[in-house]
């Protein structure tokens, strides 16, 4: 750019500022056709003009130029000259300061800022700029300058010592704008952590703490995205930055904790939890009793779950801090005297029969026990003895239950620490505990029996407390309870306890418990009135559930495979046997020993079963066996999985007994899920043996099978799983063959059955290609969209969208090493939502419109909330319109979307504009007789709408409450309950105290 050109641009800018001039001059600076110092020299008369507006305009031009050039554009000399010039400009008229600060905000980000400039800039700002008198934008420039310099030139600014601290305190003082406060708190934390506060500790605390607790409500549209939570966390981080704030902050927290404002209490307790560890026990010592009194009051009164939770968390932080200073548990300490004070009060509550207070006060001690093993050692000796004594003296059954429940939690706390010092306390009370728990297990009272079983489970978890003999005795009590009790809750608790016994005392279970259960399984029970025996099917499931060690699995697997291969003397059905085998392996799939046992012992026996007894296997059995293969393939490396693939292909392709890919036998074709589970779990880098043969056979089955819909779908899913991992050249070949098959569906030259199979095939192949982001996937997805306007197959195509957008456990998932690109669902929505909207708008037929709405609902369902909300305004009228169609899936999807919107601030604002259309439809659906679930969902939506701003809802209140009255007499109890809840919520709109 020539000198004449840029000088003309400068002159024009001074006459009438525009965005074009700075960007063009910046471009000249970038390419070297303009020198910055020459440009400034040309601006000299304007920069020194007696008219402040001209000086300001010239300074603004420099600022805009600096914001438009790269940070490496200027030399160190040029940056130094600019720094000195702009610092001098801060002494100019107050109207010149805003553009000067704007220029400095850009300059401090430059790479070549010379030494000395950061200090010069900060001193000049602290001396010349009265920050409180500036506008919000200009104050933000000051904070940006300081923040940038702290990020890049911290060492130089640290040399300013207390001058910087004092200067920043004066700069931040009285800041009110939340946009600036976020930045100011961030800077404050950096200053506190990296500068010696010296005599300014209290001043720094005062300038920060004046904002505590934060009382900020963002505007309805919240254009800047700043929430109260952001401010609270930023402020809390400052208060928790140094132990020097302890003597000032703790009294402040105590004061706010005694206020009547719930949010202030929660904020105080959460801040205490954050700060306790930083301030240390010496600072806390003076206040711990007062804090405990406040926390106990909130926990005992239980006015708010949030306050209670925050109080327990704060108490935990205090105990953790006090525990950190203790070397010897026997020596006097702040913690010891603190806990003794709490225990003295607790003993008084133990003697009372008020269950609520007993639970509440116990939760405080449970919290203390969970926090630290040292604290646990101080609490347990007293409370276990006291609770056992009170339990035996207590006559009220409700209080006895409460005491045992509390005792169980203490034992669980002890087991969680798992230290010798804690467990020795449990050991010392073992005799009394075992007698109490044994009596409870054998009692007829269901609740007491459950508490006893839970206590035994907690004792099992305590390392080295029980001997094998004691564990065996307790195990036999549990087995007896299990076999002779029909209460589901007791059986569930017993199974949980036996699982723990199996983990901790494997030898006991192997030699004693498991043989007893298996004997009971084989024992033929007699029907005697008044006696109950667990059915064999349920007992086998229980055995599989508690079998969590390889040494136990061997015996159970022997039994299961013997039963699967034996058609006589069946203990239970094959479905239960295969389900139990799957349960046992699935529950323990994270154990490498179990997976190796599966590879070595289970899979070979499954292969034998397939080869010689496949005719006895049901579809359910095959699905369970396929799931075992999937679990194994998902957890082993590529070399091990290649061996399994070779074994399975050898059996399925080269075995004369079974050839499901070629045979016309239904029994053999039903085995395809097992083959699919293996070959579709192979990593794409591994070579599939006989790949071409398998692909050809699977494709032939996928397009030609007419025998069974389930087999048809299995073939298609297997084909999709293979296509997802094929090399590009193979994909093109197989896709061309598929296109030939599905072509008739677009010409309407097919039968109804063939239409369904063609679209099913198209959907699954589309899914496999879309997941890997293959270009053909987009083409196929558009083909499915085009079918929505087809009156014959449009509804089938609409329903098929769920296949593409959903995740499946048995195919095309990351566990099966499928090629799944991130955000594929969001990508489909962004690329194709417009096409669906256009199709909907262009269609005149209501039934065809429904197809588009169903497809759109499936497209929306898996989206993250933030993606959906950003695209919501044009979609909402369509979603509301879908409420008029009598399609239950469509209605459910739309109602779920409305509930999601009500729970979100941004969504509720958009929803408010459509209430006139939404409310009548929801009222109509609340009496939708074809589906109870639709009626309930509509009523839940009406209840959710009451979260919206009152002034939007008030015009509809009377009509909603009137029209909901008939629903109160609905024939279904659950619907009546939802109607009462929704109508009550609408009655309370705008009522005092609501």
């Amino acid at each position: 750019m020539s000198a004449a050109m840029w000088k003309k641009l400068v002159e024009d800018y001074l006459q009438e500022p525009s965005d074009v001039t700075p960007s063009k001059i910046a471009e000249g600076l970038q390419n070297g056709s303009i020198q910055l110092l020459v440009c400034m020299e040309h601006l000299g008369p304007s920069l020194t003009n007696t008219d402040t507006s001209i000086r300001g305009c010239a300074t603004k031009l420099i600022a805009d130029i600096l914001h438009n050039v790269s940070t490496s554009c200027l030399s160190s000399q040029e940056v130094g000259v600019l720094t000195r010039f702009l610092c001098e400009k801060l002494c100019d008229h107050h109207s010149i300061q805003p553009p000067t600060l704007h220029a400095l905000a850009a300059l401090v980000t430059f790479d070549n800022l010379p030494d000395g400039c950061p200090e010069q800039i900060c001193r000049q700002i602290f001396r010349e700029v009265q920050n409180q008198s500036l506008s919000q934008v200009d104050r933000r420039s000051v904070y940006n300058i300081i923040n940038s310099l702290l990020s890049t030139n911290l060492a130089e600014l640290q040399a300013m010592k207390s001058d910087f601290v004092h200067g920043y305190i004066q700069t931040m003082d009285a800041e009110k704008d939340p946009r600036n406060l976020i930045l100011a708190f961030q800077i404050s934390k950096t200053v506190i952590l990296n500068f010696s506060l010296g005599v300014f500790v209290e001043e720094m605390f005062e300038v920060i703490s004046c904002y505590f607790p934060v009382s900020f409500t963002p505007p309805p549209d919240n254009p800047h995205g700043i929430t109260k939570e952001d401010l609270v966390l930023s402020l809390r981080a400052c208060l928790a930055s140094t132990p020097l704030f302890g003597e000032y902050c703790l009294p402040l927290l105590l004061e706010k904790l005694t206020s009547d404002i719930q949010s202030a209490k929660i904020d105080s307790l959460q801040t205490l939890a954050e700060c306790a560890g930083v301030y240390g026990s010496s600072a806390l010592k003076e206040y711990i009793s007062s804090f405990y009194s406040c926390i106990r009051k909130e926990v005992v009164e239980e006015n708010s779950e949030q306050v209670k939770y925050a109080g327990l968390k704060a108490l935990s932080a205090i105990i953790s801090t006090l525990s950190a200073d203790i070397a010897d548990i026997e020596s006097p300490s702040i913690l010891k005297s603190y806990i003794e004070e709490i225990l003295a009060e607790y003993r008084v509550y133990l003697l009372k029969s008020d269950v609520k207070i007993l639970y509440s006060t116990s939760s405080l001690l449970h919290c203390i026990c969970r926090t630290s093993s040292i604290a646990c050692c101080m609490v347990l000796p007293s409370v276990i003895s006291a609770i056992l004594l009170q339990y035996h003296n207590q006559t009220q059954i409700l209080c006895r239950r409460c005491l045992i429940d509390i005792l169980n939690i203490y034992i669980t706390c002890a087991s969680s620490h798992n230290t010798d010092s804690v467990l020795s306390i449990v050991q010392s009370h073992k005799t009394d505990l075992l007698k109490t728990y044994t009596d409870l297990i054998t009692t007829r009272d269901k609740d007491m029996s459950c508490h006893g079983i839970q206590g035994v489970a907690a004792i099992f978890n305590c390392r080295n407390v029980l001997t094998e003999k004691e564990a065996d005795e307790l195990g036999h009590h549990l087995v007896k309870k299990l076999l002779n009790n029909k209460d589901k809750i007791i059986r569930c608790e017993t199974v949980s306890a036996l699982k723990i016994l199996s983990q901790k005392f494997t030898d006991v279970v192997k030699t004693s418990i498991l043989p007893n259960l298996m004997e009971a399984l084989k024992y033929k029970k007699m029907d005697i009135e008044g006696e109950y025996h667990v059915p064999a099917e349920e007992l086998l499931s229980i055995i599989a559930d508690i079998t969590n060690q390889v040494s136990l699995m061997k015996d159970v697997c022997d039994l299961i495979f013997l039963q699967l291969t034996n058609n006589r003397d069946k203990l239970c059905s094959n479905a239960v046997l295969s389900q139990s085998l799957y349960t046992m392996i699935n529950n323990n799939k994270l154990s490498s020993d179990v997976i190796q046992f599966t590879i070595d012992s289970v899979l070979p026996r499954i292969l034998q079963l397939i080869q010689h007894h496949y005719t006895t296997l049901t579809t359910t059995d095959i699905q369970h066996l396929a799931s075992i293969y999937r679990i194994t393939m998902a957890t082993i490396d590529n070399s091990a999985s290649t061996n399994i693939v070779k074994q399975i292909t050898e059996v399925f392709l080269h075995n004369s007994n079974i050839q499901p890919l070629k045979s016309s036998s239904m029994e053999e074709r039903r085995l395809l899920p097992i083959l699919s589970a293996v070959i579709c779990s192979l990593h794409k880098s591994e070579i599939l043996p006989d790949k071409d043969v398998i692909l050809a056979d699977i494709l032939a089955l996928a397009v030609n099978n007419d025998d069974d819909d389930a087999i048809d779908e299995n073939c298609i899913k297997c084909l999709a799983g293979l296509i997802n991992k094929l090399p590009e050249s193979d994909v093109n070949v197989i896709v061309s063959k598929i296109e030939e098959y599905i072509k008739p569906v677009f010409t309407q030259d097919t039968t109804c059955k063939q239409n369904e199979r063609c679209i099913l095939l198209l959907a699954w192949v589309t899914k496999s290609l879309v997941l890997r982001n293959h270009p053909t996937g987009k083409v196929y997805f558009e083909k499915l969209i085009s079918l929505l306007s087809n009156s014959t197959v449009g509804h089938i195509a609409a329903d098929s969208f769920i296949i593409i957008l959903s995740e499946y456990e048995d195919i095309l998932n990351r566990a099966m090493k499928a090629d799944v690109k991130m955000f594929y669902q969001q990508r489909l929505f962004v690329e194709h939502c417009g096409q669906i909207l256009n199709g909907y708008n262009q269609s005149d037929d209501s039934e065809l419109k429904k197809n588009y709405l169903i497809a759109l609902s499936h497209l929306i369902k898996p989206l993250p909330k933030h993606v959906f909300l950003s695209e919501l305004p044009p979609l909402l009228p369509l979603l509301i319109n879908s409420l008029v169609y009598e399609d239950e899936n469509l209605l459910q999807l739309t109602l779920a979307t409305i509930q999601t919107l009500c729970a979100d601030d941004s969504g509720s604002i958009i929803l408010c504009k459509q209430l006139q259309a939404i409310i009548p439809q929801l009222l109509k659906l609340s009496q939708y007789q074809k589906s109870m679930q639709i009626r309930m969902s509509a009523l839940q939506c009406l209840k959710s709408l009451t979260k919206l701003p009152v002034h939007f809802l008030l015009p509809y209140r009377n009509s909603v409450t009137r029209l909901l009255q008939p629903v109160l007499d609905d024939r279904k109890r659950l619907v009546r309950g939802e109607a009462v809840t929704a109508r009550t919520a609408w009655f309370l709109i705008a009522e005092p105290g609501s």
Side-chain angles (χ1 to χ4, degrees):
M1 185 185 294
S2 65
M5 287 179 66
W6 69 257
K7 287 179 181 178
K8 176 73 168 59
L9 285 170
V10 169
E11 296 304 323
D12 291 344
Y13 183 91
L14 293 173
Q15 293 297 320
E16 187 177 349
S18 71
D19 294 337
V20 177
T21 300
S23 61
K24 288 192 173 180
I25 295 176
E27 188 179 330
L29 288 170
Q30 291 283 149
N31 60 35
S33 61
I34 303 175
Q35 297 298 315
L36 180 66
L37 296 181
V38 175
C39 185
M40 288 184 66
E41 187 177 342
H42 178 72
L43 280 168
S46 300
L47 291 167
T48 56
N49 196 293
T50 54
D51 189 337
T52 56
S53 63
I54 295 176
R55 295 204 305 278
C57 187
T59 307
K60 184 176 183 299
L61 175 59
I62 293 173
D64 290 342
I65 292 169
L66 291 175
H67 278 278
N68 276 280
V69 296
S70 69
T71 57
S72 59
C73 177
L74 302 182
S75 67
S76 180
Q77 180 188 1
E78 289 174 321
V79 174
V81 170
L82 269 173
T83 301
R84 289 191 293 275
F85 166 74
L86 292 171
C87 285
E88 289 173 6
K89 271 290 169 188
L90 289 175
C91 304
D92 203 338
H93 189 266
H94 66 84
S95 64
I96 312 298
Q97 283 189 350
T100 306
L101 291 168
H102 187 52
L104 282 169
L107 192 64
V108 294
T109 64
F110 278 55
D111 300 339
N112 299 318
L113 192 65
D115 293 343
C117 287
E119 182 176 346
Q120 181 185 0
I121 292 168
C122 287
R123 287 190 183 279
Q124 196 73 353
I125 288 174
F126 293 154
R127 183 167 54 246
E128 300 296 339
V129 177
Q130 183 65 36
N131 204 40
Q132 290 74 13
S133 65
L134 299 176
S135 68
Q136 180 271 327
V137 174
D138 299 327
R139 297 200 306 277
R140 187 166 184 82
S141 292
V142 172
Y143 294 124
N144 278 325
I145 292 166
I146 296 171
N147 194 41
S148 295
L149 292 174
L150 284 170
S151 301
T152 56
N153 300 88
L154 180 61
E156 185 174 334
L157 296 184
Q158 283 176 320
M160 294 174 63
K161 298 181 180 177
S162 59
D163 289 349
F164 184 91
V165 176
H166 183 249
Y168 177 69
I169 289 172
Q170 289 184 316
T171 299
M172 181 187 169
D173 192 23
E175 179 59 64
K176 292 181 180 178
D177 193 280
R179 293 166 288 180
N180 290 347
L181 279 173
I182 288 283
L183 198 50
F185 289 147
Q186 181 183 331
I187 296 168
S188 300
K189 183 179 177 182
T190 305
V191 172
I192 294 164
L193 291 173
N194 295 284
F195 288 79
S196 172
L197 299 182
V199 296
F200 298 112
V201 173
E202 189 171 359
E203 282 190 56
M204 178 60 89
F205 175 76
E206 290 296 334
V207 81
I208 295 169
S209 64
C210 65
Y211 302 100
F212 185 88
V214 173
S215 55
F216 167 67
T217 303
D221 53 347
N222 197 10
H224 306 292
I226 295 172
T227 64
K228 179 180 178 180
E229 187 70 10
D230 295 332
L231 291 167
V232 167
L233 294 176
S234 299
L235 174 58
R236 192 175 297 155
C238 293
L239 295 175
S241 294
T242 173
L244 299 174
F245 283 169
E247 62 177 300
Y248 309 109
C249 187
L250 291 172
L252 173 67
L253 296 178
L254 194 57
E255 176 194 341
K256 300 299 181 184
L257 194 51
T258 55
S259 75
D260 294 327
I261 303 170
Q262 181 175 310
S263 62
K265 289 180 180 180
I266 293 171
D267 203 355
S268 299
L269 290 166
Q270 290 175 340
T271 304
L272 175 60
E274 187 89 11
C275 295
V278 178
Y279 295 164
S281 56
S282 56
L284 288 170
K285 180 180 179 181
E286 183 182 345
Y287 303 98
I288 52 176
S289 294
S290 301
F291 277 126
Y292 178 74
S293 298
C294 294
I295 292 169
R296 182 196 61 216
K297 178 176 178 290
E298 298 300 333
V299 171
V300 171
E301 291 182 1
E302 289 187 334
N303 293 325
S304 163
E305 277 297 316
Q306 282 183 295
V307 178
K308 178 181 175 180
Y309 175 77
L312 292 174
K313 195 172 179 183
L315 179 61
S316 178
I318 291 171
I319 296 298
S320 181
T321 304
L322 298 179
S323 300
D325 296 337
I326 296 177
D328 180 13
I329 194 171
E330 298 299 330
S331 58
S333 62
I334 301 172
L335 177 64
K336 194 168 188 177
S337 56
Y338 185 44
I339 287 178
E340 284 173 355
E341 180 185 334
I342 295 170
L343 284 172
E345 184 183 76
Y346 182 65
R347 290 187 191 98
V348 175
Y349 289 118
L350 270 179
L351 297 174
K352 296 180 178 179
S353 298
D354 192 321
V355 172
K356 182 184 175 186
I357 292 179
L358 196 53
Y359 267 120
S360 300
T361 52
S362 295
S363 67
L364 293 164
L365 276 174
H366 291 152
C367 175
I368 292 171
C369 286
R370 277 192 293 266
T371 301
S372 137
S373 59
I374 292 171
C376 194
C377 287
M378 294 177 178
V379 171
L380 282 185
S382 300
V383 296
I384 291 179
S385 302
I387 289 173
L388 285 170
L389 179 63
Q390 185 61 18
Y391 169 78
H392 291 299
N393 292 337
Q394 183 60 253
T395 55
Q396 294 184 30
I397 190 67
L398 198 61
C399 289
R400 285 167 69 88
R401 285 179 195 161
C402 171
L403 288 165
I404 286 297
D405 193 23
I406 291 167
L407 177 63
N408 289 345
I409 299 174
Y410 283 120
I411 303 300
T412 303
C413 289
S415 67
S416 67
H417 290 297
N418 206 23
T419 60
D420 293 339
S421 54
V422 173
L423 295 177
S424 63
I425 299 168
V426 180
Q427 178 85 32
S428 65
H429 293 85
K430 181 172 70 173
T431 304
D432 290 340
L433 287 170
L434 292 184
K435 184 179 185 308
T436 301
Y437 286 140
T438 303
D439 291 343
L440 286 171
I441 292 173
T442 56
T443 187
R444 290 180 174 273
D445 186 291
K446 183 183 78 173
D447 291 333
M448 293 298 283
S449 188
C450 276
H451 287 314
I453 294 166
Q454 290 165 359
V456 169
I459 290 269
F460 284 154
N461 270 320
C462 293
R463 176 176 50 85
N464 296 334
V465 169
L466 295 177
T467 63
E468 287 198 349
K469 183 180 178 183
E470 290 164 339
D472 188 21
E473 289 175 1
L474 288 172
H476 275 89
H477 283 299
L478 292 174
V479 168
K480 187 177 180 181
K481 194 75 176 179
L482 176 69
L483 296 177
N484 299 302
N485 199 297
K486 62 181 177 181
D487 186 88
K488 289 184 178 179
I489 297 174
I490 289 181
R491 290 215 302 274
C492 184
E493 292 292 346
T494 307
V495 170
S496 297
L498 287 172
K499 278 186 185 179
I500 299 170
L501 179 65
S502 181
Q503 288 175 336
K504 306 297 180 182
F505 295 91
T506 305
D507 289 342
V508 169
V509 173
K510 182 175 177 60
T511 58
S512 180
I513 305 300
L514 190 58
N516 281 353
L517 289 172
M518 293 177 80
E519 186 62 33
L521 184 67
K522 298 172 187 177
Y523 179 67
K524 299 292 183 185
K525 291 94 180 175
M526 296 177 62
D527 291 330
I528 301 174
E529 190 176 350
E531 286 192 9
Y532 173 80
H533 300 284
V534 180
E537 287 83 359
E538 188 176 342
L539 187 53
L540 182 61
S541 298
I542 290 170
I543 291 171
D545 215 17
I546 68 171
T547 304
N548 48 33
Q549 304 294 321
V550 169
S551 59
L552 304 176
M553 285 184 179
K554 292 175 182 176
D555 296 336
V556 180
C557 283
D558 288 343
L559 175 67
I560 289 174
F561 280 107
L562 180 65
Q563 286 287 305
L564 283 170
T565 55
N566 184 9
N567 292 326
R568 298 166 59 187
D569 299 325
K570 283 277 190 183
L571 297 176
C572 47
S573 67
N574 277 0
V576 175
L577 292 164
S578 58
Q579 171 72 48
S580 299
L581 184 63
Y582 164 72
T583 300
M584 190 166 55
I585 293 168
N586 187 53
N587 288 352
N588 305 287
K589 62 187 175 185
L590 298 180
S591 167
S592 58
D593 291 341
V594 170
I595 295 301
Q596 193 58 51
F597 169 74
T598 305
I599 294 170
D600 296 339
S601 300
V602 177
L603 298 188
R605 296 168 86 167
I606 291 177
L607 281 179
Q608 290 288 324
L609 185 68
I610 291 169
Q611 292 180 76
H612 302 295
H613 301 277
Y614 67 89
T615 55
T616 65
L617 298 176
T618 65
T619 302
T620 305
D621 303 334
I622 291 165
Q623 292 294 347
H624 290 148
L625 298 178
S627 297
I628 293 170
Y629 269 103
R630 270 194 296 274
I631 291 167
T632 308
M633 294 290 286
T635 51
I636 58 179
D637 58 29
N638 290 345
S639 61
S641 61
T642 302
N643 292 333
I644 294 175
V645 171
K646 287 178 181 176
Q647 292 169 11
I648 205 81
T649 52
E650 183 68 29
V651 170
F652 275 70
L653 270 68
H654 306 294
N655 189 301
S656 58
N657 291 340
I658 53 168
Q659 288 199 343
L661 296 181
K662 296 188 182 298
S663 173
S664 60
S665 165
M666 291 279 288
E667 284 81 5
E668 292 185 36
R669 287 190 182 182
R670 283 192 293 104
L671 297 173
L672 273 172
I674 296 175
L675 177 66
S676 180
V678 176
I679 63 176
C680 293
S681 295
L682 194 65
H683 193 272
K684 63 181 180 181
S685 63
E686 297 298 311
I687 298 172
L688 175 63
D690 300 301
K691 179 184 71 176
D692 295 336
V693 175
I694 291 173
L695 275 171
D697 290 345
I698 290 288
L699 179 59
L701 280 176
V703 300
N704 296 321
N705 175 55
D706 289 315
D707 300 324
D708 185 276
D709 288 343
I711 295 174
D712 198 14
E713 186 171 3
N714 287 333
C715 296
I716 292 172
K717 287 164 79 171
C718 182
L719 180 63
L722 292 172
I723 290 173
N724 177 258
K725 301 175 189 177
L726 286 178
E728 190 78 21
S729 57
D730 291 338
V731 170
N732 295 332
V733 171
I734 200 162
V735 161
S736 64
K737 294 179 181 178
I738 291 170
E739 282 185 0
E740 285 297 318
Y741 175 73
I742 63 174
K743 191 181 293 182
V745 81
F746 294 94
T747 61
Q748 299 186 2
D749 187 23
T750 54
T751 63
C752 182
K753 175 79 173 175
Q754 193 175 357
N755 281 338
E756 290 181 9
R757 190 197 300 154
C758 285
I759 292 174
L760 184 67
L761 177 61
L762 178 60
W764 276 105
V765 173
T766 302
K767 181 182 180 73
S768 72
L769 295 171
V770 162
L771 288 177
R772 62 184 282 180
N773 200 19
H774 193 281
T776 310
K778 185 175 180 180
V779 175
Y780 276 18
F781 198 81
E782 289 172 353
K783 286 187 176 185
L784 272 174
I785 293 174
S786 71
L787 288 174
L788 296 174
S789 60
N790 187 311
S791 58
T792 307
V793 298
H795 65 287
I796 305 173
D799 289 335
S800 72
F801 274 62
I802 196 171
I803 293 172
I804 302 168
L805 277 303
S806 300
E807 294 184 6
Y808 291 83
E809 291 184 1
D810 61 339
I811 201 73
L812 290 174
N813 54 61
R814 287 187 173 88
M816 295 179 71
K817 308 181 182 77
D819 186 358
V820 182
K821 297 292 188 287
M822 292 180 66
F823 310 125
Y824 83 93
Q825 293 159 324
Q826 291 95 307
R827 189 175 68 248
L828 283 176
F829 177 81
V830 171
E831 290 177 352
H832 301 289
C833 180
Q835 290 174 264
I836 294 176
L837 290 177
N838 290 337
Y840 175 86
N841 292 326
Q842 291 169 11
S843 177
D844 297 325
D845 189 315
S846 64
E847 281 302 308
L848 296 183
K849 280 181 177 288
K850 184 173 78 171
N851 296 339
Y852 286 101
L853 290 172
I854 291 170
L856 182 64
S857 297
H858 289 314
L859 204 58
I860 288 171
K861 188 178 179 182
L863 290 180
K865 190 187 292 184
H866 67 276
V867 176
F868 171 50
L869 290 175
S870 65
E871 304 289 339
L872 180 62
L875 301 178
L876 190 56
L878 272 72
L879 291 173
I880 295 170
N881 193 37
S882 67
L883 294 173
V884 304
Y885 292 96
E886 293 196 0
D887 184 292
E888 290 186 20
N889 289 333
L890 179 58
L891 289 172
Q892 278 290 15
L893 287 168
T894 307
L895 292 170
T897 303
I898 292 172
Q899 282 188 280
T900 302
L901 293 177
C902 292
D904 184 90
D905 292 338
S906 304
S908 60
I909 292 166
I910 300 169
L911 209 56
C912 287
K913 300 173 184 176
Q914 301 287 343
L915 287 178
Q916 190 173 1
I918 294 172
I919 290 176
Q921 289 300 329
L922 292 178
L923 288 168
K924 185 178 177 182
L925 289 173
S926 69
Q927 300 185 52
Y928 185 80
Q929 294 305 312
K930 293 181 181 179
S931 169
M932 178 187 82
Q933 196 58 51
I934 296 294
R935 300 202 298 279
M936 290 175 64
S937 296
L939 290 165
Q940 288 163 0
C941 281
L942 284 167
K943 165 70 169 59
S944 298
L945 289 179
T946 60
K947 299 173 185 174
L948 303 182
V950 171
H951 61 280
F952 286 106
L953 300 173
L954 210 51
Y956 304 98
R957 188 180 72 167
N958 292 339
S959 60
V960 171
T961 52
R962 186 183 74 253
L963 292 172
L964 281 179
Q965 189 168 352
V967 191
L968 299 176
D969 297 323
D970 193 280
R971 65 182 185 277
K972 293 292 184 180
R973 177 179 56 83
L974 293 175
V975 177
R976 295 197 298 272
E978 293 290 353
V980 169
T981 305
R983 192 164 182 261
T984 303
W986 277 88
F987 260 124
L988 293 175
I989 290 172
E991 290 296 320
S994 63

